[in-house]
Amino acid sequence: NKLMRKLFPLFILAISLTFFQSCKDRKVTTIDLNQDFRIGFYNVENLFDTLDNPDKFDDDFTPTGKLSWNTERYNKKLASLDKVIGAIGYPTLLGVCEVENEAVLKDLVSNNGMAKHDYGIVHFESPDKRGIDNGLLYQKKYFTVESSKKIPLEISFM
């Protein structure tokens, strides 16, 4: 987890540099490169839906689980995340971690202020059995995802 925290900002930087280089190389674009772009990363700390997924260890995040995670609490968390993301200015690119699946990201970006900024989502299921994934949110008026792929990180210890 510490390694992921160290590597994720580098991932965001690589995406940003690739984006700005691709914009610079295009002859026709509607993107004003003089405009301010905000790039952020946010650990949303266990953004789980209330459904039990038998393939993941998510039992605590169900209405009958240890945390009594229900629709009301889930919606409150979405609203709180929207408020915090709004306070940092609805970044143009926002990396997120500790999300359960793409569905929770869809719920997040359709919530209040986030919906006004028309965010797209890049998400891949991770092999983490706890159900913890990462994602990238981007404002569609500035980006078009032409392709994406999962690149596994293999770490070996001596």
Side-chain angles (χ1 to χ4, degrees):
N1 202 5
K2 285 183 181 182
L3 180 62
M4 182 58 77
R5 287 183 187 159
K6 289 179 182 178
L7 292 177
F8 202 82
L10 293 174
F11 170 72
I12 294 296
L13 179 62
I15 288 173
S16 303
L17 293 174
T18 301
F19 165 73
F20 288 116
Q21 185 61 41
S22 70
C23 289
K24 194 173 97 181
D25 293 343
R26 291 183 186 172
K27 296 193 184 328
V28 179
T29 183
T30 58
I31 298 172
D32 179 2
L33 294 179
N34 294 317
Q35 179 171 340
D36 289 333
F37 288 94
R38 290 181 187 266
I39 299 171
F41 176 77
Y42 189 27
N43 180 340
V44 295
E45 297 182 4
N46 296 314
L47 180 57
F48 279 72
D49 60 27
T50 61
L51 306 174
D52 183 21
N53 181 333
D55 297 329
K56 295 182 179 180
F57 299 124
D58 65 350
D59 294 351
D60 289 348
F61 290 93
T62 60
T64 58
K66 181 171 79 172
L67 300 173
S68 301
W69 195 243
N70 58 32
T71 302
E72 180 182 346
R73 292 183 69 202
Y74 176 64
N75 288 333
K76 184 177 180 182
K77 182 166 182 96
L78 289 172
S80 295
L81 290 171
D82 182 74
K83 186 175 182 179
V84 171
I85 293 167
I88 60 174
Y90 294 108
T92 313
L93 280 175
L94 180 63
V96 292
C97 70
E98 291 194 25
V99 298
E100 182 181 15
N101 52 42
E102 187 172 359
V104 299
L105 290 174
K106 287 179 180 179
D107 288 346
L108 178 62
V109 301
S110 28
N111 203 23
N112 299 324
M114 297 278 301
K116 294 176 188 172
H117 293 276
D118 195 25
Y119 279 93
I121 298 167
V122 177
H123 171 268
F124 296 100
E125 284 291 325
S126 80
D128 189 318
K129 290 296 182 186
R130 299 170 297 167
I132 297 176
D133 301 337
N134 298 312
L136 179 70
L137 308 178
Y138 61 93
Q139 290 188 26
K140 293 178 190 177
K141 68 181 176 181
Y142 300 112
F143 295 95
T144 300
V145 175
E146 294 179 3
S147 69
S148 61
K149 69 178 183 177
K150 184 184 338 187
I151 301 172
L153 175 63
E154 295 182 26
I155 302 172
S156 62
F157 297 97
M158 294 181 199

